[in-house]
Amino acid sequence: MKLRVSLVIPVYNEESYLALCLQAIAQQTVRPFEVIVVDNNSTDNTAAIAHQFPFVTVLQESRQGVAFARDRGFNAARGDIIGRTDGDTILAPDWVEKLQQAFADPCIDAVSGVVDYRDIGLKRMFDVVDEKYRHFLAKRVASLGEAFLYGVNMGVRRPAWRAVRAQVCHQRHLAEDLDLAVHLAAAGFTVGFAPGMRVSIAPRQAASRPHEFHKYVWSGPRVYAEHGLRAQRYMYPMALLVSALHGPICLLYKGYDPDKQRFSISYARRSAVAARVSPVSDLI
């Protein structure tokens, strides 16, 4: 009997991207049992767009912050597995199927996969580096009896979520996905890594101001540091590298023309791409 998948999507002002996200869900080789979009006080047409898709249940969460929106959706989910992604993410067509396959192993309580990048120059380089790093991180963190999860591409068994939901942290400066992984591991649940689970993201955070970008990048290592975990040492080198390369990454993102599917300096000069509001920002 196939495990039922509830897919939860916390959203804040994603009117330009949410339709693409939901269209990808509608085209899955295996449709999820339910799709829950949690609107976290959006000021644009995000909620209206979600309502246009008949298979979507739209919930509201008045407490501002992605962790609160996640909680609202996870607590409402009725499936055996709670999947999680973001409103600007495009799931691979077999994502739900791969998620079910990962949880066919009864020893797995939570899992996350890898990402492919879109709308950025040198895409292939970003894809390779990111995937190799996640493979490395999954192996090293697991060797310490600790764990990591990536919010745009993850799933957790509903009983496991219910066992830790009273302990998870809600401080804005902490990455809520990694925090959830930490609490699951501390409670004795097994967190795995499934490279077959793939999603596509645009690195919109790169267009943020340096202060906001750095705060976002360091919200991950901060989780491990504040919980006193040894895995923090594996996060610092990548955080330092990404922080130092903010300028070039921003240029590669702003200079990518999605219509022509190529990068050019001239396009970067006139590009008006907007940064995604950071989940660790004080602006939301």
Side-chain angles (χ1 to χ4, degrees):
M1 184 176 180
K2 292 292 185 181
L3 296 168
R4 301 179 304 169
V5 175
S6 297
L7 183 52
V8 174
I9 311 171
V11 293
Y12 175 78
N13 287 358
E14 293 288 3
E15 65 177 2
S16 298
Y17 298 89
L18 184 59
L20 291 175
C21 172
L22 297 177
Q23 287 165 8
I25 294 170
Q27 296 167 1
Q28 290 289 297
T29 55
V30 175
R31 293 284 292 272
F33 171 66
E34 62 182 351
V35 179
I36 301 172
V37 170
V38 184
D39 179 36
N40 197 200
N41 303 312
S42 296
T43 58
D44 60 6
N45 293 318
T46 294
I49 291 170
H51 279 294
Q52 294 174 5
F53 291 79
F55 59 85
V56 171
T57 298
V58 181
L59 303 179
Q60 303 291 326
E61 175 51 59
S62 59
R63 294 172 298 174
Q64 198 68 59
V66 66
F68 294 115
R70 174 207 61 196
D71 291 0
R72 180 76 171 94
F74 279 24
N75 289 335
R78 297 172 294 139
D80 306 297
I81 306 300
I82 305 173
R84 158 76 203 281
T85 192
D86 284 345
D88 60 345
T89 302
I90 298 177
L91 305 182
D94 62 351
W95 187 86
V96 173
E97 185 177 357
K98 293 295 186 182
L99 182 68
Q100 289 177 327
Q101 291 174 5
F103 281 99
D105 181 349
C107 296
I108 293 295
D109 299 299
V111 70
S112 62
V114 299
V115 301
D116 296 323
Y117 289 87
R118 67 180 192 271
D119 299 344
I120 188 168
L122 301 180
K123 164 187 157 48
R124 179 60 180 162
M125 180 193 72
F126 283 97
D127 289 348
V128 170
V129 171
D130 190 278
E131 183 164 355
K132 286 186 178 297
Y133 176 66
R134 292 191 193 283
H135 275 277
F136 168 82
L137 193 61
K139 181 178 180 180
R140 293 294 185 179
V141 171
S143 71
L144 298 174
E146 299 168 2
F148 86 96
L149 287 169
Y150 192 32
V152 302
N153 184 4
M154 60 160 282
V156 58
R157 292 190 192 272
R158 186 156 58 101
W161 160 250
R162 291 180 175 269
V164 302
R165 61 183 177 179
Q167 285 80 48
V168 294
C169 303
H170 293 83
Q171 290 92 331
R172 185 70 58 79
H173 66 285
L174 298 178
E176 49 82 27
D177 47 2
L178 292 173
D179 177 76
L180 173 58
V182 167
H183 286 282
L184 286 167
F189 293 106
T190 300
V191 181
F193 179 65
M197 289 169 50
R198 307 192 75 91
V199 304
S200 168
I201 64 170
R204 297 164 57 205
Q205 210 66 52
S208 304
R209 296 175 179 176
H211 172 70
E212 287 296 322
F213 182 77
H214 295 157
K215 186 160 60 172
Y216 171 73
V217 169
W218 285 93
S219 66
R222 194 171 290 123
V223 170
Y224 291 94
E226 293 200 8
H227 286 289
L229 302 185
R230 292 173 292 171
Q232 61 183 288
R233 65 176 180 262
Y234 298 123
M235 305 286 287
Y236 291 141
M238 182 59 73
L240 284 167
L241 178 64
V242 174
S243 294
L245 294 177
H246 176 223
I249 295 172
C250 182
L251 178 63
L252 288 168
Y253 175 55
K254 288 188 172 183
Y256 186 83
D257 185 341
D259 294 326
K260 297 181 179 179
Q261 296 188 357
R262 64 181 180 86
F263 169 83
S264 71
I265 295 295
S266 60
Y267 187 82
R269 290 171 179 159
R270 64 178 186 274
S271 176
V273 294
R276 179 178 182 230
V277 176
S278 172
V280 296
S281 171
D282 296 326
L283 301 177
I284 63 172

